[in-house]
Amino acid sequence: MDSDLGGTMKKSTPIFTKMLEYRAQNPVRFHVPGHKGRTSPDLPFYALDLTEITGLDDLHQPSGVIREAQQLAAEVFHAEETFFLVGGSTVGNLALILTVCKPGDEIIIQRNVHKSVINGLILAQAHPIYLPPKIDPLSGLAVGVEIPTVEQILSKHPQAKAVFLSNPNYFGMGEDLRSLADLCKRARIPLLVDEAHGAHFGLSPRLPPSAMQSGACAAVQSTHKMLSSLTMSSMLHVQGGEIDRSKLRTILTMLQSSSPSYPLLASLDLTRKYIAEEGRQALDDAIARSAELVGMIEESGVLWLDVLKQGQYSYLDPLKVTLRSRASAYTGYSLKQFFEHSRVYPELADERHILFVLSLATTTEDITRVCDVLRQLPKHATDMSFNHLNNTFTFAREIILQPHQAFHRTTERLPFESSVGHVAGEMIVPDPPGVALINPGERMDKQIMLYLKELQGMGCQFHGVSDPLLNTIEVIKDL
Amino acid sequence: MDSDLGGTMKKSTPIFTKMLEYRAQNPVRFHVPGHKGRTSPDLPFYALDLTEITGLDDLHQPSGVIREAQQLAAEVFHAEETFFLVGGSTVGNLALILTVCKPGDEIIIQRNVHKSVINGLILAQAHPIYLPPKIDPLSGLAVGVEIPTVEQILSKHPQAKAVFLSNPNYFGMGEDLRSLADLCKRARIPLLVDEAHGAHFGLSPRLPPSAMQSGACAAVQSTHKMLSSLTMSSMLHVQGGEIDRSKLRTILTMLQSSSPSYPLLASLDLTRKYIAEEGRQALDDAIARSAELVGMIEESGVLWLDVLKQGQYSYLDPLKVTLRSRASAYTGYSLKQFFEHSRVYPELADERHILFVLSLATTTEDITRVCDVLRQLPKHATDMSFNHLNNTFTFAREIILQPHQAFHRTTERLPFESSVGHVAGEMIVPDPPGVALINPGERMDKQIMLYLKELQGMGCQFHGVSDPLLNTIEVIKDL
């Protein structure tokens, strides 16, 4: 027995202590969850941590309070039927794919979806037909899909079981889904949307319409991200007859805990009530504070920092404020550290951006704290020739095996640099944003290998991989 | 828009209100979770609802506080490696099956496992070889498996990928796993255990040894059930080289939320600390209170009520107290209602039992409240010839399709009474205890049809089925 672990450490609570430490420093939270630790109703933790006992209904067979709460939510979020999720939007995405696809079925999928959608393909043994996203030239970020691309792929794959889009992206860049929904309707193929970052959409005329309002058949929303429920609580909205709801219900029961957390369910219920009563005004106020933040950044005189405003997408969520560095001395990762040093926590960084997520709970004081940090930055930078790594990147990879086929094959470990030409046996996912750059079964090429190493060197974190430092990679053996 | 829903209802919070109502009545909680609403440290809900931000580590790629906390837990729970689960034991069971089985692989499974194990078979497309459980003659309850049965099946299926047991059962009846683990070791096949109801095992010499201590390769424990973490937080323990841990890690990442709940993780951390410091004494105290409860029941003079003590199993968890009715006027379901009327909430009822789950947080006052209710029951009953429905029941069904094959077939809805001879297209699960009596692909016979209808008539709740009232059932079409 390790004596250090056995002694002092056993008396510590690393996670809990860190959480208390975090709270004690009075941080400004520009990250999810949307409630920022503020939305009150005093829900003491343990006293209300209940499970499915008499009177509290049953998430897996709702007929009482949960059914009622879900019906009320469906009304507020413009759905015909709403399912409360305690496994996050992850479980909603997995369930949708398992509902529409049998093993071997084809499904049309936006390439830059969240990794949970690719995991859904593996579990369902479905075959993806990828829709390449546009790459926004200003930011270098992967955004939505173009209508002609969808039209072309739909006509080539009429047997596909669904079109699965991710909208908006992590940075709030999105497409108007109404014409895409019409296109899918004409092709008689259900449109499913991972709307994890758009739980607030459609709740004010100043926000883009939601996927449900736009005519999608199903949408998964991370209520905890942009509204105010507890982390890991989400909603799955459905309308129309295209989705087999009985099968969907069964699959949700298969994937979710048979002891669901009631605080999570209650927080969805409380959020819906708040939105129904005060949502529009509160969102409009939040949008006003966001404009205030943008104004302050632009007046800060930091000449090498831009605020992203418009690019190759239909809209930008006003509650997402993305700063772009033009100075090669400041990567997004280093800027994020700089802000965090002053206890201002952005949601994420990539090579040259940092993202601030605002919500109903963001205050004017939070905005001021950002500007205090901006004042500490140099106004000028010597080298303004920062190039996007992203601009050298495309999602076009040679697909050798379907994701689920690769998943079940024997792999071997190679030095990362020697992987060029080999077929990846694992997913490589910079997280956040959680979009896989390599799926299992895709051939590694030199461009992606170098790009990933460069990201890693800048401080990017990776999910999916067995070696997060990218010194090695699992590739398919005996191909 | 429904005007009632739009008006008063929109301002209510059905789930949250019910939770407050429940707490306000000062209930005696003999159900899970183990902390019974009492274990304090004041964890205010929203202020500490954080997710994976800088310094808080990453559940899907732990290298900081989560890794530390998991290592500390592994030490206390006698594992080599421990994974914290935020999707409940459900996710642990699914992940174990998906880790050991590729599509088409065989796995040896105790027939009376929790439904999540059968759901794991469907997702993995694995083929079960069932181990029939013993039926305890006194209680009529399905308990553990016999060594000769396991030996025989192991020798007939040497290619099976694992043996999967559920131990103890919901009522705390269990087998000594040491000889079963030895048997599996000799056959070079990993032993996996759903130990959802035994998170406290091995933590006092007065308790049975845990699956890890007995030599199992993996065990899933609902820490929230018998110890004191929050509902939906569980642990998966692993030891030895039989399980591909890299694959297990990947699969847990696929199944669990990419925004895991930190309060859940923190509660696992706090529970481990408490157990390491005070667990043994606290458990011994709880066992003493349990003996006190059993004594009081036996002295109550209610002659038609027995306390289950010993039967065809190796041990009975001292923290589970099961009452058995011998009076045909009192089913378990009606007894449960009777107790609940006095705000004493048992964990579950079946046709003739009610189960009280005690834990570290159970007080002497709780025990006294049970006895107050017992005093209101008649001492004598006229008809003491209550027969177990269970005694007419066996798990032996004709298997026509594998669960995953049936899952993907087209079904049709029939009146439940007309289903005899047809092949079930859905799972039928009395819940609790959550053990499937019919799996998809099994042929309905008259005995099981009548048994299920009788259970339903008594007030049993069903999971898995599309019609919880059992008026209809989905059967496979065009067989």
Side-chain angles (χ1 to χ4, degrees), chain A residues 10-12 15-16 19 35 43 45 48-49 54 58 102 125 231 263 269 272-273 340 408 463, chain B residues 10-11 15-16 19 35 43 45 48-49 54 58 102 125 230-231 263 269 272-273 340 408 463:
Chain A
K10 199 173 269 180
K11 290 186 184 153
S12 77
I15 300 172
F16 184 60
M19 290 166 80
H35 54 67
L43 261 182
F45 234 111
L48 285 171
D49 183 48
T54 307
D58 177 344
K102 290 193 184 72
Q125 304 189 29
T231 299
D269 205 18
R272 185 267 315 144
K273 176 191 189 317
E340 288 180 353
H408 292 296
H463 274 186
Chain B
K10 199 174 274 182
K11 288 185 189 155
I15 299 171
F16 184 57
M19 290 165 79
H35 54 67
L43 260 183
F45 234 111
L48 285 173
D49 182 48
T54 307
D58 177 345
K102 291 194 185 73
Q125 305 190 28
L230 289 168
T231 300
D269 206 16
R272 186 267 316 146
K273 176 189 188 319
E340 288 180 352
H408 292 297
H463 273 187

Side-chain angles (χ1 to χ4, degrees), chain A residues 415-437:
Chain A
F416 200 80
E417 280 82 357
S418 316
S419 65
V420 174
H422 290 269
V423 175
E426 52 188 6
M427 208 183 278
I428 307 183
V429 188
D431 192 286
V435 173
L437 298 190

Side-chain angles (χ1 to χ4, degrees), chain A residues 231-246:
Chain A
T231 299
M232 220 159 79
S233 64
S234 291
M235 296 190 195
L236 169 55
H237 305 295
V238 186
Q239 62 188 352
E242 289 87 349
I243 310 275
D244 179 344
R245 298 201 202 165
S246 170

